[in-house]
Amino acid sequence: MTQDDLKKAVAQAAFKRIEPHLHEDSVIGVGTGSTANVFIEYLAEAKHLVTSTVASSEETARRLKEHGIPVYDLNSVDEVTVYIDGADEANEYLQLIKGGGAALTREKIIAAVAKEFICIADESKFVTVLGNFPLPVEVIPMARSHVGRQIVKLGGDPVYREGVLTDNGNVIIDIYNMSITDPRKLENDLNQIVGVVTNGLFAQRPADILLLGKADGVVEITSS
Ligand code: 5RP
């Protein structure tokens, strides 16, 4: 099975899980990235049933609209019934690293609002300790050097992601070489640095369900 097959399998499993909600006028939160894009394809097949979505990036909003699926501003909906998104890394506690696609802030906002957050990923994303994947941090442009220096003090190697501006007009610093043994603390510490918008650790608000694509099928891991 290729990685694309695994992405298809988890996207389909997520679609099956949310399908009953489609008959209840629910708001579906839709994430960003290649796995979320496959989920959008499943959603598009049932677009006559999808009345409201919120998107975690301009790119996702564009894809949804291209299929004729209604996309709303988060401020104009009362709640998000369920949020489906991928991840760059996930651990057994369903804490995640996200933001490989630079959409971390909007992703974190939708995750915060969502009643249920279902993460979809192939098994290569499942790790014992988070941090092999460089941790993205969204930063106000004028604070880039300051934030970089503070990250060094926390023990990480900051690398400016050249040529990338987020949907919010900010820059991304990726933190390399950090073994993240206390994700909740690091998420908090990074967010205390002046100039940081947010970081890609989803530890305070982990996923509720992780659908993990393996060669022998999709495994469902729930937070205990
Ligand atoms: C985007 C994200 C994505 O969910 C993450 O990068 C995983 O992407 P993919 O499904 O392409 O592996 O956080 O900001």
Side-chain angles (χ1 to χ4, degrees):
M1 256 190 161
T2 65
Q3 207 177 14
D4 280 351
D5 294 331
L6 299 180
K7 286 178 187 181
K8 262 189 205 154
V10 290
Q12 189 181 32
F15 179 75
K16 280 197 183 135
R17 274 200 79 102
I18 64 118
E19 211 175 1
H21 291 305
L22 297 180
H23 304 278
E24 299 162 358
D25 276 352
S26 310
V27 179
I28 311 296
V30 186
T32 299
S34 56
T35 318
N37 287 346
V38 184
F39 173 73
I40 292 172
E41 295 304 316
Y42 284 103
L43 216 48
E45 285 174 21
K47 63 181 170 196
H48 53 290
L49 296 173
V50 187
T51 53
S52 320
T53 65
V54 290
S56 70
S57 64
E58 297 297 333
E59 173 59 17
T60 290
R62 188 191 65 72
R63 282 174 185 263
L64 289 164
K65 286 177 188 165
E66 207 172 71
H67 288 296
I69 296 172
V71 182
Y72 289 92
D73 183 303
L74 185 63
N75 293 305
S76 67
V77 300
D78 289 333
E79 61 174 40
V80 175
T81 318
V82 58
Y83 175 44
I84 311 290
D85 200 358
D88 299 301
E89 278 186 353
N91 68 15
E92 62 178 310
Y93 307 107
L94 311 195
Q95 297 169 321
L96 315 170
I97 287 183
K98 291 183 50 52
L104 60 156
T105 300
R106 295 188 187 195
E107 290 171 343
K108 204 177 259 198
I109 293 168
I110 297 181
V113 174
K115 279 162 64 181
E116 185 173 63
F117 174 14
I118 302 177
C119 180
I120 50 178
D122 66 79
E123 63 181 335
S124 70
K125 310 287 184 69
F126 197 62
V127 298
T128 311
V129 179
L130 298 171
N132 198 31
F133 189 92
L135 173 62
V137 183
E138 179 162 352
V139 176
I140 302 287
M142 72 173 286
R144 176 161 63 97
S145 300
H146 167 69
V147 171
R149 287 189 290 269
Q150 303 309 307
I151 287 171
V152 171
K153 286 184 193 163
L154 290 174
D157 293 336
V159 176
Y160 169 46
R161 205 185 290 181
E162 298 263 3
V164 171
L165 265 193
T166 70
D167 287 345
N168 314 306
N170 297 313
V171 298
I172 297 284
I173 293 177
D174 293 305
I175 309 180
Y176 285 76
N177 302 321
M178 255 199 156
S179 172
I180 304 170
T181 48
D182 190 344
R184 289 174 64 91
K185 181 172 186 312
L186 183 62
E187 181 177 4
N188 214 34
D189 288 350
L190 285 168
N191 284 343
Q192 296 309 312
I193 301 172
V194 173
V196 167
V197 179
T198 197
N199 67 83
L201 270 173
F202 285 54
Q204 318 267 356
R205 199 292 181 233
D208 300 305
I209 295 171
L210 173 62
L211 298 175
L212 201 62
K214 296 182 169 219
D216 52 357
V218 174
V219 175
E220 180 175 315
I221 304 171
T222 46
S223 49
S224 43

